[in-house]
Amino acid sequence: MFEDASDLIADNPPGLHYGVAVADLDRGRYSFVVAGFGGPNRIFVWSNGALRDVAPPELADDERRAVGVAAGDVDGDGREELYVLNADTFSGPKQFADRLFRRRPDGGWEDLFERPVNRGVRNLSAGRSVAVIDRRGVGRYGFFVANHGRPMRLYELAPGGALADLAPPLELARTGGGRGVLTLPVFSGHPDIFCANERGQNFAYRNRGDGTFEEVATQLHLRDCEEHARGVTTFDWNGEFGLAWVNWDGPHRLMTRGKNGTWKDEATPGFAFPSSVRTLIAADFDNDGNDELFLNHVGEPNRLFRVEPTLVHEETKLSLTMLDAGAAIDAEGLGTGAAICDIDGDGVLELLVARGEKAAQPLAVFKARAAHPNWLRVRPLTRFGAPARGAVVRAEYGGRVRVKGICGGSGYLCQMEPVAHFGLGTASSVDRVTVTWPDGTGVVVLNPGGNRVLTVPYPRG
């Protein structure tokens, strides 16, 4: 399916690359942000037909050990801040604190953790993933950090500009082998948190609707205690969210929700087969109207599967087909992270893969040969004009309903673009789009058409 498009990167030296995020650091102009471990963080924008690194020195920050990245509007100014998770040790305490970069009025960047008032709450624990969540639906985000061997953290901006770790009072400060994090309304009608762990059970935090949480992994059958999780994502399953995660050298999970609210593993033997996996991404790469699941590996071939509904005895069943990933098999790649974005604006997603954990390698970009020409991209905004991460978008076309979440964090160490990308398959346009924000507010757009980016502001009045 994929062709190698790595020559789109204007300057691509080998390095130890880890997490990848797609951030809106320049009011609507998206960037691939790549964590550099002992080397510079890189920020790629699309310019003059190529991906060009525009990271200023303060964001490049090449003396730290960055592994995870995520973006979100923490202060409600309409512009995303950038959280860079550093991990110079495998687990427990670490030397290098994380960064939370905010743009100054003069266009430069400052690390909010370097302010004297915030130095006491710096994260000095080895973490693996970070995600943003608007837990109260107010348009301001907190950063949830999945630490390994130390309590989880949730940073929000308090009045007066101080950062506060709200994980303890919200009973989120559990200790586990934190790996992948997902923040979307998968267990309730508001943003929830799913933390995929190793050496112990996963955590599933259901939002009560008021920004507080209850841990429900046991009652929802999501603990998976014996495995060592890495990446986690949602996928479209008949207009509702399915939940998938991958386990290091253990069986991978493909979960759908039953009528009683519990989850059931429907992974085929081919998908579940154990492997040295890191990141998991769900997206419609070829615009055929179905999600593909991309499993990124360390030192073994990547895998690609298509998820689609199949009618069996008048009942819709999940069908999973293994596909030829083409150049994205990348059998010698030391994959660590990956993210998707239509960075060049042609309606087909680019897949940027970070490589180099065990040895320095260049980054890779892959692009699918689109099987169908039509698409629609939906871009919800908060009341402040920033990407509405955690919003849910449903599109109705061709007699189907499909669902996408605006990513707050997923994959592993990573965060996808803040846009819902729908391939239309054999349809030429969309009949109806429904956007639901984290506070439950909804908007319906009739006949938005196709082959365009639909920006949906938060409703006022």
Side-chain angles (χ1 to χ4, degrees), residues 132-135 137 139 141 182-186 188-192 234 241 378-383 386-394 403-409 417-422 433-443 456-459:
V132 295
I133 182 169
D134 180 7
R135 62 184 178 88
Y141 290 82
L182 177 80
T183 51
L184 276 176
V186 288
S188 72
H190 302 274
D192 307 303
T234 58
F241 284 130
V378 183
R379 178 175 168 259
L381 302 178
T382 69
R383 66 191 72 200
R389 297 188 187 269
V392 177
V393 183
R394 286 182 169 83
V403 65
K404 293 286 181 182
I406 305 302
C407 183
E417 64 172 351
V419 180
H421 178 95
F422 297 96
V433 164
T434 303
V435 178
T436 306
W437 278 265
D439 65 351
T441 298
V443 162
V456 186
Y458 184 85

Side-chain angles (χ1 to χ4, degrees), residues 64-80:
R64 296 212 173 184
R65 303 291 189 269
V67 294
V69 281
D73 184 7
V74 72
D75 56 3
D77 68 349
R79 191 193 301 270
E80 292 197 308

Side-chain angles (χ1 to χ4, degrees), residues 286-287 346-347 370-375 424-425 427 451:
D286 61 359
N287 287 344
D346 67 351
H372 299 276
N374 297 319
W375 48 273
L424 302 189
N451 300 327

Side-chain angles (χ1 to χ4, degrees), residues 3 33 36 64 81 92 115 134 144 162 165 180 217 222 230 233 256 258 273-274 285 316 377 424 427:
E3 296 177 342
V33 181
R64 296 212 173 184
E81 282 69 48
R115 291 182 176 181
D134 180 7
F144 181 89
D165 177 14
L222 296 171
R230 293 299 188 268
T233 191
T256 61
F273 190 80
F285 291 105
T316 302
R377 291 169 55 76
L424 302 189

Side-chain angles (χ1 to χ4, degrees), residues 75-215:
D75 56 3
D77 68 349
R79 191 193 301 270
E80 292 197 308
E81 282 69 48
L82 182 66
Y83 195 107
V84 180
L85 176 61
N86 292 290
D88 49 79
T89 57
F90 172 77
S91 186
K94 66 184 180 184
Q95 176 183 357
F96 292 112
D98 299 342
R99 302 285 202 186
L100 179 50
F101 290 109
R102 178 182 182 273
R103 191 183 287 271
R104 298 192 304 262
D106 64 3
W109 295 85
E110 68 165 326
D111 175 12
L112 293 181
F113 283 119
E114 287 298 308
R115 291 182 176 181
V117 69
N118 294 329
R119 292 182 64 84
V121 298
R122 292 178 301 166
N123 183 38
L124 290 170
S125 302
R128 288 298 180 272
S129 286
V130 57
V132 295
I133 182 169
D134 180 7
R135 62 184 178 88
R136 296 177 297 147
V138 297
R140 293 182 176 89
Y141 290 82
F143 287 90
F144 181 89
V145 183
N147 282 326
H148 195 285
R150 286 292 181 94
M152 309 296 175
R153 300 240 184 184
L154 176 62
Y155 290 108
E156 293 185 9
L157 202 62
L163 289 168
D165 177 14
L166 297 182
L170 291 172
E171 299 183 351
L172 300 174
R174 295 192 175 201
T175 297
R179 287 290 185 173
V181 175
L182 177 80
T183 51
L184 276 176
V186 288
F187 313 127
S188 72
H190 302 274
D192 307 303
I193 303 170
F194 184 76
C195 189
N197 298 319
E198 69 175 356
R199 302 179 183 178
Q201 75 162 65
N202 299 327
F203 302 150
Y205 295 108
R206 181 163 59 197
N207 195 321
R208 295 189 178 99
D210 60 359
T212 66
F213 300 87
E214 57 181 333
E215 208 287 313

Side-chain angles (χ1 to χ4, degrees), residues 17-22 33-35 37 66-71 83-87 127-131 146 178-182 230-232 278-280 296 335-339 354 357 408-416:
H17 308 109
Y18 275 81
V20 185
V22 180
V33 181
V34 181
F37 188 84
V67 294
V69 281
Y83 195 107
V84 180
L85 176 61
N86 292 290
R128 288 298 180 272
S129 286
V130 57
R179 287 290 185 173
V181 175
L182 177 80
R230 293 299 188 268
V232 58
R278 285 302 185 89
T279 290
L280 175 66
N296 185 33
T336 49
E357 175 177 278
S410 66
Y412 171 59
L413 311 169
C414 296
Q415 184 186 56
M416 308 301 124

Side-chain angles (χ1 to χ4, degrees), residues 25 71 105 142 196 235 256 290 325 374 411:
L25 303 180
F235 61 94
T256 61
N290 299 295
N374 297 319

